[in-house]
């Protein structure tokens, strides 16, 4: 039986969304789940605004968001055409999707994202090893130990995921690799979803202790960076079996539970 498996909604974020944001989220989600396909044309502005029951100013703002993400193309006299998101957009699209509480992602998408996530873990752990000993580095190590303490005390998967996201962003901020910083900032919500699923699937306490033991060996000069990355890879592979099994329980297809438009919760298509 397929199950939903997502980070719980952040109600403060959800309630603060503007009407243009809600509208953009609906259209983003419809493109992602295939309700709006590449080559489709959006209804004329007046008709679409009536369908969504919104003012045309809010609709134009939402469309500008989609254009900026290369999800649609506006041609004067031809209307607005949906583009192939797999060919035209970037990770900001997936990060935005992960902030849509009403959207359930398919097992294939989550699995692909998890495979991508695995490749980035060693990069931020390596980053803290490369930082010279300082109060900032000591704080990063303290945060890692704090996460282990939370796991030992039985903290839930979402709390552990949120803590890991904070650790990643902190470590990225004290390092000197701008790409690690940009990655940590650009896919935070995606990481939250993936790490929540991971910590629901494994023995978090044992995993985090084993991970810190490996990193600490590097910090103490007992192993090289290459050995650390190999040891981490082996550790991840052991957890991967459990996580993939959990992911296999997710729905086969992505879908909307309800509309991101708060005043039109049952609007799940433009047809």
């Amino acid at each position: 039986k397929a199950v939903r498996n997502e980070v719980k909604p952040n109600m403060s974020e959800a309630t603060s969304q503007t009407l243009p944001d809600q509208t953009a989220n609906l259209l983003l989600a419809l493109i992602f789940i295939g309700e709006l396909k590449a080559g489709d044309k959006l209804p004329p502005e007046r008709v679409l605004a009536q369908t969504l029951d919104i003012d045309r100013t809010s609709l134009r703002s939402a469309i500008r968001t989609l254009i900026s993400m290369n999800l649609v193309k506006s041609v004067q006299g031809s209307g607005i055409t949906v583009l192939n998101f797999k060919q035209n957009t970037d990770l900001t699209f997936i990060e935005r999707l992960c902030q849509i509480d009403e959207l359930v992602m398919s097992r294939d998408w989550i699995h692909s994202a998890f495979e991508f996530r695995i490749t980035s873990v060693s990069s931020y752990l390596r980053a803290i090893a490369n930082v010279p000993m300082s109060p900032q580095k000591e704080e990063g190590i303290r945060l890692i130990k704090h996460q282990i303490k939370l796991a030992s005390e039985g903290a839930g998967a979402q709390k552990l995921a949120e803590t890991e996201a904070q650790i990643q962003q902190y470590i990225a901020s004290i390092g000197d690799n701008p790409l690690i910083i940009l990655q940590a900032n650009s896919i935070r919500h995606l990481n939250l979803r993936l790490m929540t699923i991971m910590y629901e699937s494994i023995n978090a306490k044992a995993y985090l202790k084993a991970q810190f033991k490996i990193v600490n060996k590097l910090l103490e000069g007992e192993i090289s960076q290459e050995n650390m990355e190999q040891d981490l890879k082996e550790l991840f592979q052991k957890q991967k079996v459990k996580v993939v099994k959990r992911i296999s329980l997710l729905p086969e297809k992505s879908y909307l539970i309800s509309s991101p438009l708060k005043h039109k919760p049952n609007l799940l298509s433009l047809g």
Side-chain angles (χ1 to χ4, degrees), residues 1-15:
K1 183 180 178 181
V3 298
R4 285 184 57 207
N5 196 329
E6 305 170 355
V7 175
K8 294 179 181 178
N10 183 326
M11 298 309 296
S12 63
E13 289 184 5
T15 55

Side-chain angles (χ1 to χ4, degrees), residues 217-251:
K217 284 184 177 181
L218 177 65
L219 294 173
E220 297 294 332
E222 297 177 14
I223 58 174
S224 66
Q225 285 193 2
E226 291 75 16
N227 288 336
M228 181 201 76
E229 292 180 13
Q230 181 59 38
D231 289 348
L232 286 175
K233 183 178 180 181
E234 292 176 3
L235 177 62
F236 296 150
Q237 289 301 320
K238 292 178 182 178
Q239 315 308 315
K240 182 179 175 181
V241 176
K242 300 173 185 178
V243 179
V244 169
K245 183 177 180 180
R246 178 68 173 173
I247 291 174
S248 71
L249 300 176
L250 298 176

Side-chain angles (χ1 to χ4, degrees), residues 60-183:
R60 289 170 191 156
S61 178
I63 295 298
R64 284 195 296 272
T65 296
L66 269 63
I67 291 174
S68 71
M69 298 175 72
N70 290 323
L71 292 170
V72 299
K73 177 175 64 175
S74 177
V75 178
Q76 190 170 2
S78 299
I80 297 173
T81 304
V82 177
L83 301 176
N84 186 328
F85 70 84
K86 294 180 182 179
Q87 297 178 0
N88 291 279
T89 191
D90 55 29
L91 285 174
T92 58
F93 175 52
I94 299 301
E95 176 68 0
R96 178 72 178 252
L97 290 172
C98 288
Q99 298 176 60
I100 302 176
D101 297 323
E102 299 83 2
L103 176 65
V104 177
M105 289 186 173
S106 72
R107 65 177 72 125
D108 286 344
W109 269 99
I110 293 296
H111 185 269
S112 297
F114 181 70
E115 290 287 350
F116 170 78
R117 174 72 180 85
I118 285 177
T119 64
S120 66
V121 173
S122 61
S123 63
Y124 86 84
L125 291 174
R126 183 172 64 246
I128 193 169
N130 290 334
V131 175
M133 186 53 69
S134 62
Q136 291 80 11
K137 182 171 184 174
E138 291 175 356
E139 174 63 11
I141 295 172
R142 187 198 67 79
L143 289 172
I144 293 174
K145 290 181 177 179
H146 176 64
Q147 187 187 30
I148 296 174
K149 182 173 182 290
L150 288 175
S152 300
E153 294 172 348
Q158 185 176 342
K159 178 63 176 177
L160 293 174
E162 290 171 349
T163 303
E164 182 146 332
Q166 294 170 1
I167 293 171
Q168 288 181 29
Q169 288 189 304
Y170 181 78
I171 292 176
S173 70
I174 65 175
D176 59 0
N177 189 327
L179 293 181
I180 295 178
I181 298 172
L182 291 173
Q183 184 184 69

